[in-house]
Amino acid sequence: MIDRCSIEIGEDGCATLAGALTFESVAALFGETHRLFRGPQPVTLIDLSNVTNADSAGLALLLEWQAMQQAAARSLEISNAPPSLVSLARLCEADDVMNLNGRDSHQ
């Protein structure tokens, strides 16, 4: 079974991801990049509250999206990250770069 991650984009500039943010799902999500950031209403917030699992490929995708937004002089907040993603970002020393907020306020 292939892990999937869906994305819903709200009119408020918030994109909500749901499912597994892993190697198996990242390629399809990367295909959404144009719709997310180059449309008339670019996404400014990625909500990960419904992400069940994340690995290094998921982290790489979020870093790429963050870099794209910074290059365009826009900010991107990533909220409600699962603990596994927060830990991985810290391990890679990328948590500050990512503008990443975990689910637990003590993270």
Side-chain angles (χ1 to χ4, degrees), residues 28-45:
L29 286 174
F30 188 74
E32 297 288 328
T33 298
H34 182 77
R35 185 169 71 112
L36 287 171
F37 303 113
R38 296 191 179 110
Q41 174 84 24
V43 167
T44 57
L45 173 67

Side-chain angles (χ1 to χ4, degrees), residues 2-76:
I2 295 176
D3 289 334
R4 300 198 191 282
C5 190
S6 64
I7 189 162
E8 294 288 327
I9 302 173
E11 293 179 13
D12 59 354
C14 177
T16 302
L17 275 61
L21 186 58
T22 62
F23 181 80
E24 291 83 13
S25 64
V26 164
L29 286 174
F30 188 74
E32 297 288 328
T33 298
H34 182 77
R35 185 169 71 112
L36 287 171
F37 303 113
R38 296 191 179 110
Q41 174 84 24
V43 167
T44 57
L45 173 67
I46 304 276
D47 182 1
L48 303 178
S49 59
N50 295 319
V51 169
T52 57
N53 186 26
D55 65 14
S56 59
L59 176 63
L61 175 68
L62 295 173
L63 283 168
E64 176 65 20
W65 284 349
Q66 191 68 262
M68 290 173 60
Q69 288 298 86
Q70 288 176 353
R74 292 190 292 251
S75 65
L76 178 64

